Amino acid sequence: MKYALVTGASRGLGRAIAVRLAQMGYNILINYAGNTAAAEETLRLVREAGTDGELWCFDVADREKATATIQAWQEAHQDNDEYIEVCVNNAGIRRDGVMALMPFEDYTRVIDITLQGFFNVTQPLLPAMQFHKFGRIINMASVSGIKGLPGQTNYSAAKGGIIAATKALAQEVAKKNVTVNALAPGFIKTDMVEGLDEATLKKTIPAGRFGQPEEVAEAVAFLVSPMAGYVTGNVISINGGLYT
Ligand code: NAP
């Protein structure tokens, strides 16, 4: 059995990615922050796609819980040599506001979930990926992490940081056939963009529309596939031509 961990998989992009990976034959470890009903719906869709999964409720920024959950899974699976070969670091939040008025907690929370979350979840998976000489790590960045967007110093810092970490880690593990890439979506229709002025924003996007979660999930499917083994340390933009 092949296993993939998707953080923030209860809704939005994470759910679409979980379902797409299930279609590729992966059992999915469905991480989420607290929305169990939504996570259960993801699990239902994963099963509908023909595999199975587990619900992993923990805050990715909580180092103790993240590592304890992953280590317990690894101990339970060590006998039959199973390991988590795909890790999609997708969990993320947005707490927008101009920096002059931004509460410190809004600044640190967004960065912690993205950057500490990446470390907490990815580090325990690296030894097995390297030992088995196959691994795929995909980090969810954003157009904000490339361009920097006003009102998002916290989010831009987090996403810019994850892009740099992607490039660094890619070079550390490339010889072991472990690839590390980032995706940089523009505006994708999920709960995260609720409340944005879609009609106005659409006019700034050459494609004239917001993207669908499945269009991001398809890029994950490509990066995970064996023939993408020579693609590493990259950032793929999925933004309808909203170039940075
Ligand atoms: P979303 O619909 O708001 O879903 C967020 C997901 O992350 C949920 O599953 C949520 O779990 C989970 N989550 C939040 N905080 C967490 C934490 N501390 N630990 C574990 N899980 C946590 O967001 P989305 O639009 O799918 O975004 C997914 C990723 O894509 C994010 O990293 C986001 O920054 C990035 N992105 C999105 C867009 C866009 O336009 N949508 C564009 C660029 C980048 P619960 O359901 O339990 O709350």
Side-chain angles (χ1 to χ4, degrees), residues 3-25:
Y3 292 90
L5 166 57
V6 183
T7 70
S10 51
R11 295 182 280 126
L13 300 186
R15 175 185 284 172
I17 291 163
V19 172
R20 187 66 187 88
L21 291 173
Q23 289 166 355
M24 294 172 78

Side-chain angles (χ1 to χ4, degrees), residues 2 18 35 38-40 47 68 71 74 96 107-108 111 118 123 142 165 167 173 186 207 222-223 237-238:
K2 301 191 298 179
N35 194 339
E40 279 169 351
R47 287 181 174 147
Q71 278 165 8
Q74 288 172 327
D96 298 352
Y107 190 76
T108 54
I111 291 174
F118 159 71
Q123 193 190 39
S142 163
K167 293 177 180 176
V173 296
F222 164 68
L223 289 171
S237 288
I238 306 165

Side-chain angles (χ1 to χ4, degrees), residues 191-206:
D191 293 346
M192 188 173 269
V193 300
E194 281 289 303
L196 296 185
D197 181 356
E198 185 172 345
T200 306
L201 287 167
K202 266 186 348 192
K203 293 183 193 139
T204 68
I205 305 168

Side-chain angles (χ1 to χ4, degrees), residues 120-134:
N120 293 340
V121 168
T122 309
Q123 193 190 39
L125 305 180
L126 288 172
M129 286 183 183
Q130 294 187 89
F131 176 79
H132 288 93
K133 296 201 173 53
F134 184 87

